[in-house]
Amino acid sequence: MNKTTLLAVNGTLMCGLELNGNMTAAGGVFVREDQTDPHYRFWNIGDRHPGMIRVTTGGTSVALEVWELPLASFAALLLSEPAGLAIGKVTLRNGSQLLGVLAEPRLVENQKDITAHGSWRAYTGHFHST
């Protein structure tokens, strides 16, 4: 029985960013950098974190990180995420799907669209080498 899952993250849980300590405290292990397929839009939520939603038109590929996370700590990590973020299936550029952090549509209302940046790191200027 698999006791871990892969989780795609696109914001402050990424290496070196504000909430990455929550990921590592939950036993998360960095696997790789990746990208979504070109069907996502991305918003800056209150200058604190991003929100990503899958769309039919007008999307782009969003840069993200894939982490391996113990199932036993999965719920605790999710509870530490900001309100309005949820887990859903994210489609990667190679067509595969895995669990990832997505925004509820109401969360992005009246927020700044940062889709053109393609990543939270590009938008904020916080780059990290893994």
Side-chain angles (χ1 to χ4, degrees):
M1 179 180 196
N2 188 1
K3 297 187 190 250
T4 64
T5 189
L6 294 178
L7 180 66
V9 298
N10 56 44
T12 57
L13 287 173
M14 295 191 310
C15 292
L17 298 183
E18 180 185 355
L19 298 180
N20 182 250
N22 293 348
M23 177 66 85
T24 56
V29 176
F30 177 81
V31 176
R32 69 181 184 275
E33 292 181 350
D34 211 323
Q35 288 185 314
T36 67
D37 73 359
H39 296 100
Y40 290 85
R41 291 197 70 76
F42 208 48
W43 289 265
N44 171 7
I45 310 302
D47 290 326
R48 300 201 61 224
H49 61 84
M52 182 176 79
I53 294 180
R54 187 166 176 80
V55 295
T56 349
T57 59
T60 193
S61 292
V62 173
L64 49 77
E65 292 179 353
V66 176
W67 286 73
E68 185 173 15
L69 187 66
L71 287 175
S73 58
F74 189 66
L77 178 68
L78 299 181
L79 290 170
S80 73
E81 281 289 273
L85 295 180
I87 298 299
K89 288 189 178 177
V90 172
T91 304
L92 299 180
R93 62 183 166 188
N94 69 2
S96 66
Q97 291 186 328
L98 64 142
L99 295 177
V101 179
L102 296 168
E104 295 175 4
R106 68 159 181 82
L107 184 66
V108 302
E109 291 175 6
N110 303 312
Q111 300 296 315
K112 183 177 182 178
D113 187 316
I114 59 172
T115 302
H117 292 272
S119 79
W120 185 244
R121 287 191 194 283
Y123 176 71
T124 62
H126 290 102
F127 295 95
H128 184 268
S129 59
T130 52

PDB file of all heavy atoms in Angstrom, residues 2 9 16 19 30 39 48 56 61 63 80-81 84 93 95 97 105 113 125:
ATOM      1  N   ASN A   2       0.576   2.175  -0.905  1.00  0.00           N
ATOM      2  CA  ASN A   2       1.341   3.425  -1.010  1.00  0.00           C
ATOM      3  C   ASN A   2       0.984   4.333   0.156  1.00  0.00           C
ATOM      4  O   ASN A   2      -0.165   4.681   0.343  1.00  0.00           O
ATOM      5  CB  ASN A   2       1.030   4.096  -2.349  1.00  0.00           C
ATOM      6  CG  ASN A   2       1.912   5.289  -2.609  1.00  0.00           C
ATOM      7  OD1 ASN A   2       2.775   5.627  -1.802  1.00  0.00           O
ATOM      8  ND2 ASN A   2       1.710   5.914  -3.731  1.00  0.00           N
ATOM      9  N   VAL A   9       2.453  22.009  -6.043  1.00  0.00           N
ATOM     10  CA  VAL A   9       2.244  23.291  -5.363  1.00  0.00           C
ATOM     11  C   VAL A   9       2.768  24.414  -6.256  1.00  0.00           C
ATOM     12  O   VAL A   9       3.748  24.252  -6.973  1.00  0.00           O
ATOM     13  CB  VAL A   9       2.893  23.325  -3.963  1.00  0.00           C
ATOM     14  CG1 VAL A   9       2.273  22.260  -3.068  1.00  0.00           C
ATOM     15  CG2 VAL A   9       4.397  23.131  -4.021  1.00  0.00           C
ATOM     16  N   GLY A  16      11.969  27.403  -0.285  1.00  0.00           N
ATOM     17  CA  GLY A  16      12.483  28.710   0.068  1.00  0.00           C
ATOM     18  C   GLY A  16      11.446  29.801   0.274  1.00  0.00           C
ATOM     19  O   GLY A  16      11.803  30.926   0.595  1.00  0.00           O
ATOM     20  N   LEU A  19       5.704  29.565   3.294  1.00  0.00           N
ATOM     21  CA  LEU A  19       5.081  28.430   3.979  1.00  0.00           C
ATOM     22  C   LEU A  19       5.758  27.092   3.687  1.00  0.00           C
ATOM     23  O   LEU A  19       5.228  26.037   4.033  1.00  0.00           O
ATOM     24  CB  LEU A  19       3.588  28.353   3.632  1.00  0.00           C
ATOM     25  CG  LEU A  19       2.754  29.559   4.064  1.00  0.00           C
ATOM     26  CD1 LEU A  19       1.291  29.366   3.676  1.00  0.00           C
ATOM     27  CD2 LEU A  19       2.887  29.820   5.565  1.00  0.00           C
ATOM     28  N   PHE A  30      10.910  17.230  -1.700  1.00  0.00           N
ATOM     29  CA  PHE A  30      10.905  17.801  -3.041  1.00  0.00           C
ATOM     30  C   PHE A  30      11.233  16.721  -4.060  1.00  0.00           C
ATOM     31  O   PHE A  30      12.194  15.977  -3.900  1.00  0.00           O
ATOM     32  CB  PHE A  30      11.920  18.944  -3.125  1.00  0.00           C
ATOM     33  CG  PHE A  30      12.040  19.537  -4.501  1.00  0.00           C
ATOM     34  CD1 PHE A  30      11.118  20.463  -4.952  1.00  0.00           C
ATOM     35  CD2 PHE A  30      13.073  19.141  -5.341  1.00  0.00           C
ATOM     36  CE1 PHE A  30      11.227  21.010  -6.234  1.00  0.00           C
ATOM     37  CE2 PHE A  30      13.193  19.692  -6.617  1.00  0.00           C
ATOM     38  CZ  PHE A  30      12.261  20.623  -7.065  1.00  0.00           C
ATOM     39  N   HIS A  39      -3.649  25.412 -19.629  1.00  0.00           N
ATOM     40  CA  HIS A  39      -5.067  25.684 -19.397  1.00  0.00           C
ATOM     41  C   HIS A  39      -5.344  26.227 -17.995  1.00  0.00           C
ATOM     42  O   HIS A  39      -6.370  25.912 -17.390  1.00  0.00           O
ATOM     43  CB  HIS A  39      -5.891  24.417 -19.631  1.00  0.00           C
ATOM     44  CG  HIS A  39      -5.832  23.958 -21.050  1.00  0.00           C
ATOM     45  ND1 HIS A  39      -5.003  22.942 -21.460  1.00  0.00           N
ATOM     46  CD2 HIS A  39      -6.468  24.409 -22.158  1.00  0.00           C
ATOM     47  CE1 HIS A  39      -5.148  22.763 -22.757  1.00  0.00           C
ATOM     48  NE2 HIS A  39      -6.025  23.642 -23.206  1.00  0.00           N
ATOM     49  N   ARG A  48      -0.463  37.975  -0.796  1.00  0.00           N
ATOM     50  CA  ARG A  48       0.018  36.979   0.183  1.00  0.00           C
ATOM     51  C   ARG A  48       0.352  35.634  -0.453  1.00  0.00           C
ATOM     52  O   ARG A  48       1.264  34.953  -0.029  1.00  0.00           O
ATOM     53  CB  ARG A  48      -1.037  36.779   1.285  1.00  0.00           C
ATOM     54  CG  ARG A  48      -1.298  38.104   2.002  1.00  0.00           C
ATOM     55  CD  ARG A  48      -1.891  37.979   3.360  1.00  0.00           C
ATOM     56  NE  ARG A  48      -1.010  37.243   4.243  1.00  0.00           N
ATOM     57  CZ  ARG A  48      -1.458  36.301   5.060  1.00  0.00           C
ATOM     58  NH1 ARG A  48      -2.725  36.000   5.125  1.00  0.00           N
ATOM     59  NH2 ARG A  48      -0.619  35.667   5.847  1.00  0.00           N
ATOM     60  N   THR A  56     -10.968  26.952 -19.766  1.00  0.00           N
ATOM     61  CA  THR A  56     -11.072  26.381 -21.119  1.00  0.00           C
ATOM     62  C   THR A  56     -10.316  27.220 -22.140  1.00  0.00           C
ATOM     63  O   THR A  56      -9.726  26.681 -23.065  1.00  0.00           O
ATOM     64  CB  THR A  56     -12.540  26.309 -21.563  1.00  0.00           C
ATOM     65  OG1 THR A  56     -13.411  26.559 -20.490  1.00  0.00           O
ATOM     66  CG2 THR A  56     -12.892  24.978 -22.083  1.00  0.00           C
ATOM     67  N   SER A  61       0.647  27.835 -19.187  1.00  0.00           N
ATOM     68  CA  SER A  61       1.309  26.843 -18.324  1.00  0.00           C
ATOM     69  C   SER A  61       1.827  27.572 -17.094  1.00  0.00           C
ATOM     70  O   SER A  61       2.416  28.649 -17.220  1.00  0.00           O
ATOM     71  CB  SER A  61       2.483  26.192 -19.052  1.00  0.00           C
ATOM     72  OG  SER A  61       2.032  25.388 -20.103  1.00  0.00           O
ATOM     73  N   ALA A  63       4.257  27.340 -13.714  1.00  0.00           N
ATOM     74  CA  ALA A  63       5.361  26.615 -13.095  1.00  0.00           C
ATOM     75  C   ALA A  63       4.950  26.172 -11.688  1.00  0.00           C
ATOM     76  O   ALA A  63       4.279  26.911 -10.959  1.00  0.00           O
ATOM     77  CB  ALA A  63       6.597  27.494 -13.026  1.00  0.00           C
ATOM     78  N   SER A  80      -3.364  23.839   7.117  1.00  0.00           N
ATOM     79  CA  SER A  80      -2.500  25.004   7.334  1.00  0.00           C
ATOM     80  C   SER A  80      -2.523  25.967   6.142  1.00  0.00           C
ATOM     81  O   SER A  80      -1.979  27.064   6.226  1.00  0.00           O
ATOM     82  CB  SER A  80      -1.058  24.553   7.604  1.00  0.00           C
ATOM     83  OG  SER A  80      -0.442  24.073   6.418  1.00  0.00           O
ATOM     84  N   GLU A  81      -3.158  25.584   5.057  1.00  0.00           N
ATOM     85  CA  GLU A  81      -3.241  26.434   3.870  1.00  0.00           C
ATOM     86  C   GLU A  81      -4.263  27.557   4.081  1.00  0.00           C
ATOM     87  O   GLU A  81      -5.238  27.386   4.821  1.00  0.00           O
ATOM     88  CB  GLU A  81      -3.664  25.610   2.645  1.00  0.00           C
ATOM     89  CG  GLU A  81      -2.540  24.806   2.044  1.00  0.00           C
ATOM     90  CD  GLU A  81      -1.531  25.699   1.354  1.00  0.00           C
ATOM     91  OE1 GLU A  81      -1.701  26.017   0.166  1.00  0.00           O
ATOM     92  OE2 GLU A  81      -0.550  26.091   2.014  1.00  0.00           O
ATOM     93  N   GLY A  84      -9.834  29.237   1.142  1.00  0.00           N
ATOM     94  CA  GLY A  84     -10.130  29.427  -0.270  1.00  0.00           C
ATOM     95  C   GLY A  84      -9.261  28.599  -1.195  1.00  0.00           C
ATOM     96  O   GLY A  84      -9.519  28.518  -2.391  1.00  0.00           O
ATOM     97  N   ARG A  93       2.093  19.319 -17.998  1.00  0.00           N
ATOM     98  CA  ARG A  93       2.377  19.552 -19.419  1.00  0.00           C
ATOM     99  C   ARG A  93       2.488  18.259 -20.216  1.00  0.00           C
ATOM    100  O   ARG A  93       2.262  18.244 -21.416  1.00  0.00           O
ATOM    101  CB  ARG A  93       3.623  20.395 -19.591  1.00  0.00           C
ATOM    102  CG  ARG A  93       4.876  19.760 -19.055  1.00  0.00           C
ATOM    103  CD  ARG A  93       6.073  20.650 -19.189  1.00  0.00           C
ATOM    104  NE  ARG A  93       7.154  20.120 -18.362  1.00  0.00           N
ATOM    105  CZ  ARG A  93       8.266  20.732 -18.144  1.00  0.00           C
ATOM    106  NH1 ARG A  93       8.480  21.902 -18.692  1.00  0.00           N
ATOM    107  NH2 ARG A  93       9.189  20.202 -17.386  1.00  0.00           N
ATOM    108  N   GLY A  95       0.507  15.765 -19.790  1.00  0.00           N
ATOM    109  CA  GLY A  95      -0.832  15.169 -19.824  1.00  0.00           C
ATOM    110  C   GLY A  95      -1.185  14.355 -18.597  1.00  0.00           C
ATOM    111  O   GLY A  95      -2.342  13.991 -18.416  1.00  0.00           O
ATOM    112  N   GLN A  97      -1.904  13.583 -14.585  1.00  0.00           N
ATOM    113  CA  GLN A  97      -2.600  14.342 -13.544  1.00  0.00           C
ATOM    114  C   GLN A  97      -2.107  13.916 -12.177  1.00  0.00           C
ATOM    115  O   GLN A  97      -1.753  12.765 -11.961  1.00  0.00           O
ATOM    116  CB  GLN A  97      -4.111  14.107 -13.615  1.00  0.00           C
ATOM    117  CG  GLN A  97      -4.758  14.707 -14.829  1.00  0.00           C
ATOM    118  CD  GLN A  97      -6.276  14.571 -14.769  1.00  0.00           C
ATOM    119  OE1 GLN A  97      -6.805  13.614 -14.219  1.00  0.00           O
ATOM    120  NE2 GLN A  97      -6.960  15.533 -15.330  1.00  0.00           N
ATOM    121  N   PRO A 105     -13.182  29.468  -7.079  1.00  0.00           N
ATOM    122  CA  PRO A 105     -13.440  30.631  -7.945  1.00  0.00           C
ATOM    123  C   PRO A 105     -13.711  31.927  -7.180  1.00  0.00           C
ATOM    124  O   PRO A 105     -13.246  32.996  -7.582  1.00  0.00           O
ATOM    125  CB  PRO A 105     -14.654  30.199  -8.768  1.00  0.00           C
ATOM    126  CG  PRO A 105     -14.509  28.705  -8.839  1.00  0.00           C
ATOM    127  CD  PRO A 105     -13.964  28.310  -7.480  1.00  0.00           C
ATOM    128  N   ASP A 113      -4.852  39.586 -11.753  1.00  0.00           N
ATOM    129  CA  ASP A 113      -4.524  38.469 -12.637  1.00  0.00           C
ATOM    130  C   ASP A 113      -3.030  38.538 -12.958  1.00  0.00           C
ATOM    131  O   ASP A 113      -2.542  39.549 -13.472  1.00  0.00           O
ATOM    132  CB  ASP A 113      -5.353  38.563 -13.913  1.00  0.00           C
ATOM    133  CG  ASP A 113      -5.195  37.340 -14.800  1.00  0.00           C
ATOM    134  OD1 ASP A 113      -4.064  36.873 -14.987  1.00  0.00           O
ATOM    135  OD2 ASP A 113      -6.224  36.860 -15.314  1.00  0.00           O
ATOM    136  N   GLY A 125       9.531  37.674  -7.765  1.00  0.00           N
ATOM    137  CA  GLY A 125      10.980  37.843  -7.840  1.00  0.00           C
ATOM    138  C   GLY A 125      11.743  36.997  -6.844  1.00  0.00           C
ATOM    139  O   GLY A 125      12.935  37.206  -6.628  1.00  0.00           O
TER     140      GLY A 125
END
